[in-house]
Amino acid sequence: MNDTAQKLLAPGKGLLAADESTHTIVKRFGALSLTSTPELNRKYREMLFATPGIEQFLGGVILFDETVHQKNDDGITFPEYLTGRGIVPGIKVDEGLEPFNGGGEQVTKGLEGLSDRLKKYSELGLKFTKWRAAISITDIFPTDSFLQENMERLARFAKISQENGFVPVTEPEILLDGNHTSTRCEEISVKTWKILFEKLKAENVDLTNLLLKTSMVLPGKGSGVIPAPFEVAQVTLRALKNAVPAEVFGIVFLSGGQSPEEATANLNEIIKDKGDSPWQISFSYARALQEEAMAAWLGKDENVKAAQELFLKRLTLVSKARNGQL
Ligand code: 13P
């Protein structure tokens, strides 16, 4: 497992989240008037993964179940293809959200049969796993009981992953939707992470072989406030230091609806300001890495090259930001 963790966050490298669920890819393609089908999804993923040069910047790619069974145009499965390029393939294993106690919050499901699924994923060459919990901030949410249950499941996922030899990426995403302030986001982030690490400790999870995937501390999108990168860095690092144990191998950020430019600039500032923070810090972006490429691709073969150029350009910038070199 340690070998996998080291490869994922090797110098200058981070993760591409290409694990959009069926529901999410329908939404992303739909915004560009494209209709998601397994074949169009496959072509899209092939466009991304075949981009020349990405192995310099990507330690790993997170895949969705549909993709791990698909092959590229040369008949090679995507996990094999990525491995051949020196990129570690991983898999999103949660099964989405379900209502929690009828109170309006939604908890992540997918623990049932997880160990059996992981055994199959291991045979396909996958080395790490991801589980996403989604946490909304409103005047009344998140409730304590919801956080307890959601973080408990996240910790169980991490334990079962490690028992099967996978490095878990534990993702409690604090959603950007809402009018909340950065201060309230900080308060909820710290509270969530503290509960998560209590649960991980109770499950005896090895933190040295675990990644925390998290949102940056930001004001809600509806507040209309776009903070300067130095403010995002200051509050995010303060919150992390307050709640995340030093043994954790690495922290990777999701982009969460920030523009590609914001997600790049904010990561750069976090790295520049991280001082003696004990963890590796890097990226695990979906939208911020893919948005420009997807819009240029539009499902057409003749656009593949232009889309790949945009993808590589953004990845190069994000990798520079991961080194604090922008
Ligand atoms: P975004 O970077 O688009 O937020 O996605 C990251 C992710 O993996 C969400 O689960």
Side-chain angles (χ1 to χ4, degrees):
M1 281 190 288
N2 201 253
D3 182 50
T4 299
Q6 301 281 356
K7 278 188 187 146
L8 292 176
L9 299 190
K13 295 189 184 179
L15 309 181
L16 165 68
D19 61 335
E20 293 82 3
S21 63
T22 307
H23 172 77
T24 303
I25 195 120
V26 164
K27 206 162 70 179
R28 301 271 183 270
F29 279 6
L32 298 168
S33 304
L34 294 173
T35 304
S36 163
T37 62
E39 177 54 14
L40 197 66
N41 302 345
R42 188 198 69 79
K43 278 178 161 247
Y44 175 65
R45 267 72 184 242
E46 167 133 27
M47 181 278 288
L48 291 177
F49 305 159
T51 301
I54 56 170
E55 65 281 356
Q56 303 163 74
F57 311 116
L58 288 180
V61 175
I62 315 172
L63 303 166
F64 185 58
D65 181 73
E66 177 184 274
T67 315
V68 304
H69 303 289
Q70 291 181 323
K71 295 177 176 164
N72 72 2
D73 289 343
D74 295 329
I76 302 171
T77 68
F78 284 124
E80 261 184 281
Y81 174 73
L82 290 166
T83 305
R85 289 190 64 185
I87 300 170
V88 183
I91 174 87
K92 166 190 173 76
V93 298
D94 67 74
E95 295 181 322
L97 309 177
E98 64 183 359
F100 174 66
N101 280 354
E105 290 176 291
Q106 292 202 298
V107 73
T108 303
K109 63 178 177 180
L111 287 174
E112 216 181 291
L114 177 58
S115 197
D116 292 336
R117 283 193 283 141
L118 291 183
K119 289 185 174 63
K120 293 193 185 110
Y121 287 142
S122 191
E123 286 164 18
L124 293 171
L126 300 158
K127 302 285 185 205
F128 71 103
T129 50
K130 182 191 105 167
W131 177 288
R132 171 178 177 264
I135 296 133
S136 293
I137 301 183
T138 70
D139 288 348
I140 54 166
F141 295 148
T143 59
D144 279 347
S145 53
F146 164 78
L147 282 181
Q148 292 286 338
E149 175 67 22
N150 223 359
M151 295 307 106
E152 174 83 41
R153 293 186 188 190
L154 200 39
R156 285 294 303 145
F157 142 79
K159 183 67 185 173
I160 296 168
S161 292
Q162 290 189 342
E163 282 169 353
N164 285 281
F166 290 82
V167 172
V169 178
T170 50
E171 181 185 10
E173 174 174 1
I174 314 282
L175 299 172
L176 200 54
D177 308 314
N179 305 318
H180 52 272
T181 60
S182 175
T183 307
R184 173 121 166 100
C185 182
E186 180 179 12
E187 176 203 328
I188 299 300
S189 300
V190 168
K191 184 172 177 180
T192 302
W193 297 332
K194 283 195 168 163
I195 296 173
L196 173 62
F197 285 103
E198 272 167 29
K199 304 280 186 193
L200 288 167
K201 194 166 168 219
E203 292 282 352
N204 265 320
V205 169
D206 173 9
L207 299 184
T208 66
N209 282 315
L210 171 132
L211 267 56
L212 172 68
K213 173 161 175 167
T214 182
S215 18
M216 295 176 191
V217 177
L218 294 163
K221 215 160 197 172
S223 72
V225 178
I226 299 187
F230 81 90
E231 294 173 293
V232 177
Q234 192 183 27
V235 66
T236 301
L237 287 164
R238 181 174 67 201
L240 289 169
K241 283 180 190 158
N242 198 343
V244 181
E247 308 93 271
V248 169
F249 181 78
I251 295 171
V252 290
F253 291 105
L254 56 96
S255 54
Q258 299 177 70
S259 69
E261 292 79 11
E262 284 162 9
T264 309
N266 288 337
L267 176 64
N268 188 57
E269 199 62 36
I270 289 170
I271 302 294
K272 276 181 27 193
D273 296 355
K274 79 182 174 67
D276 58 0
S277 306
W279 334 273
Q280 299 269 355
I281 301 182
S282 189
F283 58 90
S284 176
Y285 295 162
R287 279 166 287 178
L289 281 173
Q290 295 182 41
E291 210 169 279
E292 295 147 313
M294 193 189 284
W297 173 65
L298 288 179
K300 298 195 174 112
D301 290 345
E302 63 266 32
N303 294 339
V304 164
K305 197 157 174 291
Q308 289 181 330
E309 279 168 14
L310 284 171
F311 179 47
L312 188 67
K313 192 168 161 204
R314 177 55 56 190
L315 193 52
T316 308
L317 287 169
V318 172
S319 165
K320 280 200 177 136
R322 185 257 196 264
N323 292 334
Q325 284 169 348
L326 277 183

